[in-house]
């Protein structure tokens, strides 16, 4: 959990404090045995940034909340991945290749999405950047930075079925469920 949280914080920091107005990013988080297995780093985390075409996302009236379950359905093992609506939004072939990577010990850790939104509070509207993630243990992660703030806020939800979960969480959970292969062992994300 700490390793994944640190990884998500690094991604959020790399986007930059002044770099607003970007298209959403879909993030595939995997890990594999470290090349030199020392006591400190037995596994190496790999995050693949998959740009989402923001203009094409208009095909999804509910945005990411509708796009993510559609992508998850297309990535189920028994489904063909050739879907024109999805192909206009994200590189499905690249995702399929990453999931089929034969690297020994490579396994899924989480799916995440980085996007910008508006936070409505009693005292006004605030531009925010969020990274929402769901790991293979169904924990939800949310990193939120209000525009102009130096530090993001981190929230980790251990319970899957909560009423106040972010709108992207069911789609991310579905992505994890449809792409986590039974022959992969569950990673320890702490």
């Amino acid at each position: 959990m700490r390793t994944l949280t640190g990884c998500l914080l690094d991604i959020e920091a790399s986007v930059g404090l002044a770099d607003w107005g970007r298209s959403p990013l879909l993030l595939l988080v995997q890990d594999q045995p470290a090349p030199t297995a020392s006591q400190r780093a037995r596994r190496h985390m790999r995050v693949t940034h998959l740009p989402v075409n923001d203009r094409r996302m208009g095909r999804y009236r509910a945005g990411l909340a509708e796009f993510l379950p559609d992508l998850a359905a297309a990535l189920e093992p028994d489904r063909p991945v050739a879907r024109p609506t999805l192909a206009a939004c994200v590189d499905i072939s690249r995702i399929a290749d990453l999931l089929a990577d034969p690297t020994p010990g490579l396994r899924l850790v989480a799916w995440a999405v980085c996007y910008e939104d508006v936070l409505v509070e009693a005292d006004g509207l605030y531009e925010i950047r969020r990274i929402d993630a769901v790991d293979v243990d169904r924990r939800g992660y949310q990193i939120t930075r209000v525009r102009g703030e130096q530090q993001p806020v981190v929230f980790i939800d251990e319970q899957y079925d909560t009423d106040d979960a972010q709108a992207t969480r069911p789609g991310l959970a579905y992505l994890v469920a449809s792409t986590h292969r039974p022959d992969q062992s569950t990673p320890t994300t702490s």
Side-chain angles (χ1 to χ4, degrees):
M1 181 166 50
R2 281 177 284 164
T3 303
L4 180 56
T5 303
C7 177
L8 296 173
L9 284 167
D10 288 345
I11 291 166
E12 197 284 328
S14 73
V15 174
L17 296 176
D19 195 12
W20 290 79
R22 295 182 62 161
S23 295
L25 276 177
L26 184 63
L27 306 164
L28 172 60
V29 184
Q30 298 170 302
D31 77 355
Q32 63 191 47
T36 56
S38 69
Q39 291 291 43
R40 298 193 74 224
R42 293 186 184 141
R43 303 210 45 96
H44 171 73
M45 197 165 288
R46 172 175 97 173
V47 180
T48 304
H49 297 232
L50 302 156
V52 176
N53 186 324
D54 207 20
R55 289 183 302 166
R56 298 294 187 160
M57 282 293 294
R59 297 175 182 207
Y60 292 97
R61 291 167 41 150
L64 289 170
E66 187 179 352
F67 164 75
L68 293 170
D70 193 30
L71 177 60
L75 293 174
E76 287 183 357
D78 59 341
R79 293 261 179 103
V81 295
R83 306 260 304 268
T85 302
L86 283 171
C89 295
V90 71
D91 188 347
I92 299 172
S93 297
R94 183 166 180 221
I95 295 170
D97 289 346
L98 289 164
L99 294 171
D101 186 335
T103 301
L106 183 67
R107 59 190 182 183
L108 178 69
V109 173
W111 278 98
V113 63
C114 178
Y115 61 99
E116 293 175 8
D117 203 354
V118 175
L119 178 64
V120 180
E121 294 286 337
D123 61 342
L125 301 173
Y126 300 92
E127 290 180 84
I128 59 170
R129 179 181 302 126
R130 281 214 166 113
I131 296 180
D132 297 338
V134 172
D135 70 17
V136 294
D137 295 324
R138 297 175 60 122
R139 280 185 289 263
Y141 300 76
Q142 188 171 70
I143 312 290
T144 305
R145 182 186 300 269
V146 176
R147 187 173 189 158
E149 294 290 322
Q150 293 299 313
Q151 295 296 320
V153 174
V154 177
F155 176 71
I156 301 171
D157 190 357
E158 295 277 342
Q159 301 197 350
Y160 177 70
D161 298 321
T162 57
D163 293 335
D164 61 343
Q166 65 270 25
T168 59
R169 186 160 181 188
L172 290 168
Y174 186 10
L175 262 173
V176 169
S178 67
T179 58
H180 184 253
R181 306 294 181 244
D183 58 338
Q184 293 176 321
S185 57
T186 302
T188 305
T189 54
S190 58

